[in-house]
Amino acid sequence: MTKARFPMRRFTSLLFGLVVSASVSAAGGHEGLAPANTQVANKAMLQRGAAMYMNYCAGCHSLKYLRYSRMAEDLGLTEEQVMENLAFSDTAKFGETINAAMTPKDGAAFFGKAPPDLSLSARSRGVDWVYNYLKSFYVDPTSATGWNNTILANASMPHVLWELQGSQSAHYGEAKEAGASPAVESLELTTPGLLSPAEYDAAVRDLVTFLEYAAEPAILQRQAIGVWVLLYLALFTLIAWLLKQEYWKDVH
Ligand code: HEC
């Protein structure tokens, strides 16, 4: 009798492949972008990022998947701490989602483009993109806001973090086609801000970590459950293998 062999090796490599591809796609690798290295399980980073968000972004951008109450619970803060220090307006309620101070219509009137809901951007563009975007504003006297951005050319958003970062100037190279505006080759920090470049990177990393969490408030629970699912799968694989050994013991 020929021995029917359980394709154990193929099964384990399949399982391994699934785990690796899942973690790669979760990291959302984009070519040419500096990695944001966010840490959504880090509560201190999330708290600092939330404060940055409320101070510098909530005036224009909403976070429609996140309620203040949920944020308090996940970030380990009390209702008072959130409503006194982090709620954007006095009329905001603890049970509400985080709205922008500005309506999309006003935003469109002021900036030519409505500031989008940021939970969507953190997901659709990815955290690395947002991290690089916030580091890539430069002075451009020809634009309406006085700023431009190498990641999102002609962005209608001003550089709201300029006090922290300082201002960068562009070095231009050759234009790609005749008549086109010259391409930006590199950026140089010409006026320092309140933070050093390393401190600014860390602050933006906190902010983007918070945005990653805000895009999917269940992410903390999901990751914790994921660990148990993998442990369960590993244990189950072991039991199945032991059972197979037991069944085939007398056949040889
Ligand atoms: C003064 C209003 C204003 C403030 C404050 C502001 N933004 Fe914006 N933001 C905009 C506008 C307008 C756009 C649309 C830009 C465009 O598409 O040209 C935008 C676009 C963006 C985008 C790109 C979204 C996408 O998917 O295209 C990101 C990311 C972003 N903002 C992040 C932030 C962060 C983070 C902060 C806080 C540090 C912030 N913004 C503060 C007005 C603002």
PDB file of all heavy atoms in Angstrom, residues 10-39:
ATOM      1  N   ARG A  10       3.662  21.684   2.932  1.00  0.00           N
ATOM      2  CA  ARG A  10       3.014  22.679   2.095  1.00  0.00           C
ATOM      3  C   ARG A  10       2.048  23.519   2.942  1.00  0.00           C
ATOM      4  O   ARG A  10       1.923  24.706   2.768  1.00  0.00           O
ATOM      5  CB  ARG A  10       2.256  21.982   0.965  1.00  0.00           C
ATOM      6  CG  ARG A  10       2.065  22.913  -0.202  1.00  0.00           C
ATOM      7  CD  ARG A  10       1.358  22.251  -1.343  1.00  0.00           C
ATOM      8  NE  ARG A  10       2.121  21.196  -1.952  1.00  0.00           N
ATOM      9  CZ  ARG A  10       1.578  20.328  -2.801  1.00  0.00           C
ATOM     10  NH1 ARG A  10       0.290  20.391  -3.095  1.00  0.00           N
ATOM     11  NH2 ARG A  10       2.305  19.381  -3.349  1.00  0.00           N
ATOM     12  N   PHE A  11       1.387  22.835   3.859  1.00  0.00           N
ATOM     13  CA  PHE A  11       0.420  23.525   4.703  1.00  0.00           C
ATOM     14  C   PHE A  11       1.099  24.580   5.576  1.00  0.00           C
ATOM     15  O   PHE A  11       0.668  25.723   5.659  1.00  0.00           O
ATOM     16  CB  PHE A  11      -0.320  22.505   5.568  1.00  0.00           C
ATOM     17  CG  PHE A  11      -1.262  23.134   6.551  1.00  0.00           C
ATOM     18  CD1 PHE A  11      -2.436  23.733   6.121  1.00  0.00           C
ATOM     19  CD2 PHE A  11      -0.967  23.138   7.903  1.00  0.00           C
ATOM     20  CE1 PHE A  11      -3.295  24.324   7.017  1.00  0.00           C
ATOM     21  CE2 PHE A  11      -1.830  23.734   8.800  1.00  0.00           C
ATOM     22  CZ  PHE A  11      -2.994  24.323   8.359  1.00  0.00           C
ATOM     23  N   THR A  12       2.233  24.197   6.190  1.00  0.00           N
ATOM     24  CA  THR A  12       2.912  25.166   7.061  1.00  0.00           C
ATOM     25  C   THR A  12       3.448  26.332   6.242  1.00  0.00           C
ATOM     26  O   THR A  12       3.380  27.480   6.683  1.00  0.00           O
ATOM     27  CB  THR A  12       4.093  24.551   7.845  1.00  0.00           C
ATOM     28  OG1 THR A  12       4.628  23.512   7.082  1.00  0.00           O
ATOM     29  CG2 THR A  12       3.675  24.067   9.197  1.00  0.00           C
ATOM     30  N   SER A  13       3.954  26.051   5.014  1.00  0.00           N
ATOM     31  CA  SER A  13       4.493  27.186   4.267  1.00  0.00           C
ATOM     32  C   SER A  13       3.358  28.093   3.808  1.00  0.00           C
ATOM     33  O   SER A  13       3.505  29.308   3.737  1.00  0.00           O
ATOM     34  CB  SER A  13       5.355  26.730   3.089  1.00  0.00           C
ATOM     35  OG  SER A  13       4.597  25.953   2.229  1.00  0.00           O
ATOM     36  N   LEU A  14       2.191  27.520   3.561  1.00  0.00           N
ATOM     37  CA  LEU A  14       1.035  28.338   3.185  1.00  0.00           C
ATOM     38  C   LEU A  14       0.646  29.248   4.349  1.00  0.00           C
ATOM     39  O   LEU A  14       0.435  30.451   4.194  1.00  0.00           O
ATOM     40  CB  LEU A  14      -0.138  27.438   2.796  1.00  0.00           C
ATOM     41  CG  LEU A  14      -1.411  28.174   2.400  1.00  0.00           C
ATOM     42  CD1 LEU A  14      -1.251  28.800   1.026  1.00  0.00           C
ATOM     43  CD2 LEU A  14      -2.607  27.240   2.402  1.00  0.00           C
ATOM     44  N   LEU A  15       0.603  28.654   5.523  1.00  0.00           N
ATOM     45  CA  LEU A  15       0.222  29.407   6.722  1.00  0.00           C
ATOM     46  C   LEU A  15       1.215  30.541   6.960  1.00  0.00           C
ATOM     47  O   LEU A  15       0.852  31.680   7.193  1.00  0.00           O
ATOM     48  CB  LEU A  15       0.210  28.460   7.923  1.00  0.00           C
ATOM     49  CG  LEU A  15      -0.423  29.014   9.187  1.00  0.00           C
ATOM     50  CD1 LEU A  15      -1.918  29.171   8.984  1.00  0.00           C
ATOM     51  CD2 LEU A  15      -0.150  28.088  10.354  1.00  0.00           C
ATOM     52  N   PHE A  16       2.496  30.192   6.831  1.00  0.00           N
ATOM     53  CA  PHE A  16       3.554  31.176   7.017  1.00  0.00           C
ATOM     54  C   PHE A  16       3.396  32.322   6.009  1.00  0.00           C
ATOM     55  O   PHE A  16       3.452  33.491   6.352  1.00  0.00           O
ATOM     56  CB  PHE A  16       4.908  30.494   6.852  1.00  0.00           C
ATOM     57  CG  PHE A  16       6.068  31.420   7.050  1.00  0.00           C
ATOM     58  CD1 PHE A  16       6.369  31.896   8.317  1.00  0.00           C
ATOM     59  CD2 PHE A  16       6.841  31.820   5.982  1.00  0.00           C
ATOM     60  CE1 PHE A  16       7.431  32.756   8.505  1.00  0.00           C
ATOM     61  CE2 PHE A  16       7.903  32.691   6.164  1.00  0.00           C
ATOM     62  CZ  PHE A  16       8.197  33.156   7.432  1.00  0.00           C
ATOM     63  N   GLY A  17       3.141  31.940   4.743  1.00  0.00           N
ATOM     64  CA  GLY A  17       2.968  32.931   3.682  1.00  0.00           C
ATOM     65  C   GLY A  17       1.825  33.878   3.986  1.00  0.00           C
ATOM     66  O   GLY A  17       1.933  35.090   3.797  1.00  0.00           O
ATOM     67  N   LEU A  18       0.727  33.330   4.510  1.00  0.00           N
ATOM     68  CA  LEU A  18      -0.434  34.158   4.826  1.00  0.00           C
ATOM     69  C   LEU A  18      -0.100  35.172   5.902  1.00  0.00           C
ATOM     70  O   LEU A  18      -0.450  36.341   5.803  1.00  0.00           O
ATOM     71  CB  LEU A  18      -1.589  33.277   5.310  1.00  0.00           C
ATOM     72  CG  LEU A  18      -2.419  32.604   4.223  1.00  0.00           C
ATOM     73  CD1 LEU A  18      -3.468  31.701   4.847  1.00  0.00           C
ATOM     74  CD2 LEU A  18      -3.072  33.641   3.339  1.00  0.00           C
ATOM     75  N   VAL A  19       0.603  34.697   6.932  1.00  0.00           N
ATOM     76  CA  VAL A  19       0.944  35.579   8.043  1.00  0.00           C
ATOM     77  C   VAL A  19       1.866  36.698   7.558  1.00  0.00           C
ATOM     78  O   VAL A  19       1.656  37.873   7.848  1.00  0.00           O
ATOM     79  CB  VAL A  19       1.612  34.775   9.180  1.00  0.00           C
ATOM     80  CG1 VAL A  19       2.164  35.709  10.235  1.00  0.00           C
ATOM     81  CG2 VAL A  19       0.617  33.818   9.790  1.00  0.00           C
ATOM     82  N   VAL A  20       2.882  36.327   6.738  1.00  0.00           N
ATOM     83  CA  VAL A  20       3.825  37.340   6.259  1.00  0.00           C
ATOM     84  C   VAL A  20       3.113  38.356   5.369  1.00  0.00           C
ATOM     85  O   VAL A  20       3.245  39.565   5.562  1.00  0.00           O
ATOM     86  CB  VAL A  20       4.992  36.679   5.486  1.00  0.00           C
ATOM     87  CG1 VAL A  20       5.806  37.738   4.759  1.00  0.00           C
ATOM     88  CG2 VAL A  20       5.869  35.913   6.456  1.00  0.00           C
ATOM     89  N   SER A  21       2.273  37.873   4.425  1.00  0.00           N
ATOM     90  CA  SER A  21       1.648  38.843   3.523  1.00  0.00           C
ATOM     91  C   SER A  21       0.674  39.732   4.275  1.00  0.00           C
ATOM     92  O   SER A  21       0.536  40.903   3.971  1.00  0.00           O
ATOM     93  CB  SER A  21       0.963  38.145   2.352  1.00  0.00           C
ATOM     94  OG  SER A  21      -0.075  37.327   2.830  1.00  0.00           O
ATOM     95  N   ALA A  22       0.013  39.170   5.306  1.00  0.00           N
ATOM     96  CA  ALA A  22      -0.906  40.004   6.084  1.00  0.00           C
ATOM     97  C   ALA A  22      -0.145  41.108   6.798  1.00  0.00           C
ATOM     98  O   ALA A  22      -0.582  42.250   6.819  1.00  0.00           O
ATOM     99  CB  ALA A  22      -1.657  39.152   7.108  1.00  0.00           C
ATOM    100  N   SER A  23       1.038  40.784   7.357  1.00  0.00           N
ATOM    101  CA  SER A  23       1.735  41.834   8.092  1.00  0.00           C
ATOM    102  C   SER A  23       2.351  42.856   7.137  1.00  0.00           C
ATOM    103  O   SER A  23       2.420  44.029   7.458  1.00  0.00           O
ATOM    104  CB  SER A  23       2.801  41.246   9.015  1.00  0.00           C
ATOM    105  OG  SER A  23       3.622  40.381   8.302  1.00  0.00           O
ATOM    106  N   VAL A  24       2.759  42.422   5.932  1.00  0.00           N
ATOM    107  CA  VAL A  24       3.310  43.387   4.975  1.00  0.00           C
ATOM    108  C   VAL A  24       2.220  44.346   4.513  1.00  0.00           C
ATOM    109  O   VAL A  24       2.406  45.552   4.485  1.00  0.00           O
ATOM    110  CB  VAL A  24       3.943  42.668   3.760  1.00  0.00           C
ATOM    111  CG1 VAL A  24       4.231  43.654   2.644  1.00  0.00           C
ATOM    112  CG2 VAL A  24       5.222  41.974   4.188  1.00  0.00           C
ATOM    113  N   SER A  25       1.007  43.801   4.205  1.00  0.00           N
ATOM    114  CA  SER A  25      -0.021  44.709   3.712  1.00  0.00           C
ATOM    115  C   SER A  25      -0.524  45.632   4.820  1.00  0.00           C
ATOM    116  O   SER A  25      -0.906  46.759   4.575  1.00  0.00           O
ATOM    117  CB  SER A  25      -1.185  43.950   3.090  1.00  0.00           C
ATOM    118  OG  SER A  25      -1.809  43.162   4.066  1.00  0.00           O
ATOM    119  N   ALA A  26      -0.457  45.164   6.079  1.00  0.00           N
ATOM    120  CA  ALA A  26      -0.876  46.031   7.175  1.00  0.00           C
ATOM    121  C   ALA A  26       0.080  47.212   7.306  1.00  0.00           C
ATOM    122  O   ALA A  26      -0.306  48.316   7.649  1.00  0.00           O
ATOM    123  CB  ALA A  26      -0.919  45.262   8.488  1.00  0.00           C
ATOM    124  N   ALA A  27       1.363  46.977   7.024  1.00  0.00           N
ATOM    125  CA  ALA A  27       2.336  48.047   7.131  1.00  0.00           C
ATOM    126  C   ALA A  27       2.179  49.044   5.982  1.00  0.00           C
ATOM    127  O   ALA A  27       2.587  50.194   6.094  1.00  0.00           O
ATOM    128  CB  ALA A  27       3.755  47.470   7.120  1.00  0.00           C
ATOM    129  N   GLY A  28       1.563  48.643   4.888  1.00  0.00           N
ATOM    130  CA  GLY A  28       1.258  49.545   3.785  1.00  0.00           C
ATOM    131  C   GLY A  28       2.475  50.196   3.159  1.00  0.00           C
ATOM    132  O   GLY A  28       2.582  51.412   3.125  1.00  0.00           O
ATOM    133  N   GLY A  29       3.410  49.423   2.699  1.00  0.00           N
ATOM    134  CA  GLY A  29       4.639  49.942   2.116  1.00  0.00           C
ATOM    135  C   GLY A  29       4.394  50.757   0.851  1.00  0.00           C
ATOM    136  O   GLY A  29       3.699  50.321  -0.034  1.00  0.00           O
ATOM    137  N   HIS A  30       4.952  51.976   0.815  1.00  0.00           N
ATOM    138  CA  HIS A  30       4.870  52.832  -0.363  1.00  0.00           C
ATOM    139  C   HIS A  30       6.293  53.074  -0.804  1.00  0.00           C
ATOM    140  O   HIS A  30       7.150  53.362   0.016  1.00  0.00           O
ATOM    141  CB  HIS A  30       4.282  54.183   0.034  1.00  0.00           C
ATOM    142  CG  HIS A  30       2.835  54.314  -0.292  1.00  0.00           C
ATOM    143  ND1 HIS A  30       2.372  54.398  -1.566  1.00  0.00           N
ATOM    144  CD2 HIS A  30       1.745  54.389   0.498  1.00  0.00           C
ATOM    145  CE1 HIS A  30       1.059  54.530  -1.551  1.00  0.00           C
ATOM    146  NE2 HIS A  30       0.645  54.504  -0.307  1.00  0.00           N
ATOM    147  N   GLU A  31       6.535  53.044  -2.092  1.00  0.00           N
ATOM    148  CA  GLU A  31       7.912  53.239  -2.537  1.00  0.00           C
ATOM    149  C   GLU A  31       8.355  54.681  -2.382  1.00  0.00           C
ATOM    150  O   GLU A  31       7.599  55.606  -2.608  1.00  0.00           O
ATOM    151  CB  GLU A  31       8.028  52.840  -4.005  1.00  0.00           C
ATOM    152  CG  GLU A  31       8.474  51.399  -4.150  1.00  0.00           C
ATOM    153  CD  GLU A  31       8.481  50.988  -5.593  1.00  0.00           C
ATOM    154  OE1 GLU A  31       9.211  51.623  -6.372  1.00  0.00           O
ATOM    155  OE2 GLU A  31       7.740  50.061  -5.929  1.00  0.00           O
ATOM    156  N   GLY A  32       9.602  54.869  -1.978  1.00  0.00           N
ATOM    157  CA  GLY A  32      10.174  56.205  -1.930  1.00  0.00           C
ATOM    158  C   GLY A  32       9.731  57.050  -0.753  1.00  0.00           C
ATOM    159  O   GLY A  32      10.128  58.192  -0.652  1.00  0.00           O
ATOM    160  N   LEU A  33       8.901  56.528   0.135  1.00  0.00           N
ATOM    161  CA  LEU A  33       8.457  57.306   1.288  1.00  0.00           C
ATOM    162  C   LEU A  33       9.213  56.842   2.526  1.00  0.00           C
ATOM    163  O   LEU A  33       9.432  55.654   2.713  1.00  0.00           O
ATOM    164  CB  LEU A  33       6.960  57.104   1.530  1.00  0.00           C
ATOM    165  CG  LEU A  33       5.995  57.647   0.479  1.00  0.00           C
ATOM    166  CD1 LEU A  33       4.570  57.321   0.856  1.00  0.00           C
ATOM    167  CD2 LEU A  33       6.165  59.152   0.308  1.00  0.00           C
ATOM    168  N   ALA A  34       9.603  57.809   3.371  1.00  0.00           N
ATOM    169  CA  ALA A  34      10.228  57.435   4.638  1.00  0.00           C
ATOM    170  C   ALA A  34       9.166  56.745   5.493  1.00  0.00           C
ATOM    171  O   ALA A  34       8.025  57.191   5.518  1.00  0.00           O
ATOM    172  CB  ALA A  34      10.747  58.680   5.335  1.00  0.00           C
ATOM    173  N   PRO A  35       9.517  55.646   6.164  1.00  0.00           N
ATOM    174  CA  PRO A  35       8.511  54.943   6.959  1.00  0.00           C
ATOM    175  C   PRO A  35       8.079  55.759   8.179  1.00  0.00           C
ATOM    176  O   PRO A  35       8.911  56.387   8.835  1.00  0.00           O
ATOM    177  CB  PRO A  35       9.226  53.656   7.388  1.00  0.00           C
ATOM    178  CG  PRO A  35      10.677  53.974   7.313  1.00  0.00           C
ATOM    179  CD  PRO A  35      10.847  55.016   6.237  1.00  0.00           C
ATOM    180  N   ALA A  36       6.762  55.751   8.458  1.00  0.00           N
ATOM    181  CA  ALA A  36       6.248  56.528   9.587  1.00  0.00           C
ATOM    182  C   ALA A  36       6.568  55.848  10.918  1.00  0.00           C
ATOM    183  O   ALA A  36       6.660  56.509  11.942  1.00  0.00           O
ATOM    184  CB  ALA A  36       4.745  56.717   9.448  1.00  0.00           C
ATOM    185  N   ASN A  37       6.771  54.517  10.894  1.00  0.00           N
ATOM    186  CA  ASN A  37       7.053  53.753  12.119  1.00  0.00           C
ATOM    187  C   ASN A  37       6.083  54.072  13.251  1.00  0.00           C
ATOM    188  O   ASN A  37       6.493  54.390  14.367  1.00  0.00           O
ATOM    189  CB  ASN A  37       8.488  53.989  12.605  1.00  0.00           C
ATOM    190  CG  ASN A  37       9.499  53.429  11.624  1.00  0.00           C
ATOM    191  OD1 ASN A  37       9.237  52.417  10.976  1.00  0.00           O
ATOM    192  ND2 ASN A  37      10.631  54.084  11.488  1.00  0.00           N
ATOM    193  N   THR A  38       4.800  54.016  12.953  1.00  0.00           N
ATOM    194  CA  THR A  38       3.784  54.291  13.965  1.00  0.00           C
ATOM    195  C   THR A  38       3.711  53.123  14.950  1.00  0.00           C
ATOM    196  O   THR A  38       4.094  52.006  14.615  1.00  0.00           O
ATOM    197  CB  THR A  38       2.403  54.457  13.309  1.00  0.00           C
ATOM    198  OG1 THR A  38       2.152  53.294  12.513  1.00  0.00           O
ATOM    199  CG2 THR A  38       2.332  55.687  12.438  1.00  0.00           C
ATOM    200  N   GLN A  39       3.255  53.417  16.166  1.00  0.00           N
ATOM    201  CA  GLN A  39       3.082  52.352  17.167  1.00  0.00           C
ATOM    202  C   GLN A  39       1.721  52.522  17.820  1.00  0.00           C
ATOM    203  O   GLN A  39       1.611  53.179  18.856  1.00  0.00           O
ATOM    204  CB  GLN A  39       4.164  52.460  18.238  1.00  0.00           C
ATOM    205  CG  GLN A  39       5.577  52.305  17.710  1.00  0.00           C
ATOM    206  CD  GLN A  39       6.606  52.705  18.762  1.00  0.00           C
ATOM    207  OE1 GLN A  39       6.332  52.681  19.951  1.00  0.00           O
ATOM    208  NE2 GLN A  39       7.779  53.073  18.315  1.00  0.00           N
TER     209      GLN A  39
END
